[in-house]
Amino acid sequence: MKNIRPVSDLRNNFAEISRQVHESDEPVILTKNGYGDMVVLSMEAFENLAFQCEILNKLQEAEREAEITKKRYSTKSVLNEIKAMF
């Protein structure tokens, strides 16, 4: 369930909001004059979100490349290339 609070709670109840975002890994949406204004996330949740976005972007890039080229790689060749990197 979304946690929506007025932006004044950030000033008045910072410790509580901080605890909440760290314990739940869910965002707190802050409103100003009844409208969404900001989102508060723990650093870990933000980094996870950024990582997921990066993965999605890479997959979309791979799909676009697959549409314009006939070149394909086998699982074995990819794994061999990865092993060679380390």
Side-chain angles (χ1 to χ4, degrees):
M1 186 163 102
K2 289 186 180 182
N3 191 353
I4 302 172
R5 301 173 74 148
V7 75
S8 60
D9 277 3
L10 187 60
R11 178 184 61 241
N12 299 329
N13 301 305
F14 178 82
E16 179 187 337
I17 291 173
S18 177
R19 179 192 51 75
Q20 186 175 16
V21 297
H22 284 92
E23 288 179 358
S24 69
D25 278 334
E26 293 291 322
V28 172
I29 299 168
L30 300 175
T31 62
K32 183 177 182 182
N33 298 324
Y35 296 96
D37 187 50
M38 289 186 270
V39 176
V40 179
L41 286 171
S42 69
M43 196 66 189
E44 183 179 349
F46 174 77
E47 288 171 350
N48 287 337
L49 184 60
F51 179 72
Q52 290 173 4
C53 287
E54 183 179 348
I55 295 294
L56 179 60
N57 287 336
K58 294 290 184 185
L59 288 171
Q60 289 173 336
E61 181 181 326
E63 286 177 351
R64 283 191 301 272
E65 187 174 329
E67 289 175 358
I68 61 173
T69 182
K70 300 280 186 210
K71 190 170 186 177
R72 301 293 184 259
Y73 301 93
S74 70
T75 304
K76 187 176 182 177
S77 68
V78 171
L79 290 175
N80 287 337
E81 283 190 41
I82 292 171
K83 288 177 184 176
M85 296 169 109
F86 299 99

